[in-house]
């Protein structure tokens, strides 16, 4: 990094981490990431048709890893809601080692396995739908518009692109 003229990082936090790692501080520049508000203009898009829609539809988008807090998300959702509630949690996810593969079966197994550890007894569980297929960039605004609420538990974010994209959804 020190051989470069400048190093662009997305935040002041990253300046500190790079500097502490030995990168010359005067080469570091904050260059925040951005979201194209015209691309995510909710007035330009119809909601993406989602299978199994409910009265209230939650959406979470993340790589399936412990850092992203999938266990916290599932525990909160499964404890709070039941099959009697008109809700559905849509999880758009992928496995780090296979971002373009369809990990649906593996993730559904992980969800079932983790659910068994929550001691929920014979509670009838609320709907969860895994969206494992890639969502084309052009359809992301439609995906956000189809959801009522973005939920994003995490043990640390790099930047939080879904948070920013979803915030542009609000037109009310």
């Amino acid at each position: 990094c020190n051989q470069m003229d400048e190093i662009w990082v997305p935040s002041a936090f990253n300046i500190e981490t790079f500097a502490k790692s030995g990168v010359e501080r005067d080469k570091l520049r904050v260059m925040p990431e951005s979201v194209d508000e015209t691309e995510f203009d909710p007035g330009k898009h119809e909601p993406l048709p989602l299978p199994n829609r409910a009265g209230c539809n939650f959406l979470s988008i993340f790589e399936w890893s412990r850092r992203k807090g999938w266990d916290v998300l599932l525990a909160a959702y499964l404890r709070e809601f039941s099959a009697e509630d008109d809700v559905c949690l849509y999880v758009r996810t992928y496995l780090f080692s296979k971002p373009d593969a369809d990990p649906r079966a593996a993730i559904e197994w992980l969800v079932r396995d983790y659910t068994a550890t929550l001691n929920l007894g014979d509670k009838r569980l609320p709907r969860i739908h895994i969206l494992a297929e890639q969502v084309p960039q052009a359809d992301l605004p439609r995906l956000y518009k189809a959801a009522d609420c973005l939920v994003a538990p995490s043990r640390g974010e790099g930047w939080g692109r879904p948070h920013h994209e979803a915030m542009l959804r609000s037109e009310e």
Side-chain angles (χ1 to χ4, degrees), residues 65-72 153-157:
S65 69
R66 177 166 162 68
R67 182 175 67 83
K68 294 299 186 171
W70 62 265
D71 53 334
V72 175
S154 178
R155 292 181 173 92
E157 284 302 314

Side-chain angles (χ1 to χ4, degrees), residues 54-59 73-89 115 118 120 122-128 149 151:
C56 183
N57 301 284
F58 297 96
L59 173 65
L73 171 66
L74 290 177
Y77 179 75
L78 294 172
R79 287 180 175 136
E80 181 64 28
F81 299 107
S82 74
E84 287 72 42
D85 295 304
D86 190 15
V87 298
C88 187
L89 171 62
T115 299
L118 296 177
L120 299 172
D122 57 359
K123 178 181 181 179
R124 291 184 50 233
L125 301 177
R127 293 178 275 179
I128 298 174
C149 180
V151 288

Side-chain angles (χ1 to χ4, degrees), residues 75-144:
Y77 179 75
L78 294 172
R79 287 180 175 136
E80 181 64 28
F81 299 107
S82 74
E84 287 72 42
D85 295 304
D86 190 15
V87 298
C88 187
L89 171 62
Y90 293 92
V91 180
R92 167 56 193 114
T93 191
Y94 60 94
L95 297 173
F96 177 74
S97 59
K98 301 174 185 169
D100 294 324
D102 184 350
R104 187 180 335 273
I107 291 173
E108 288 172 349
W109 182 86
L110 290 167
V111 168
R112 282 191 303 274
D113 189 54
Y114 179 71
T115 299
T117 70
L118 296 177
N119 300 318
L120 299 172
D122 57 359
K123 178 181 181 179
R124 291 184 50 233
L125 301 177
R127 293 178 275 179
I128 298 174
H129 191 87
I130 305 298
L131 301 170
E133 61 280 348
Q134 289 287 351
V135 176
Q137 181 69 24
D139 282 343
L140 279 176
R142 298 179 66 214
L143 177 59
Y144 290 119

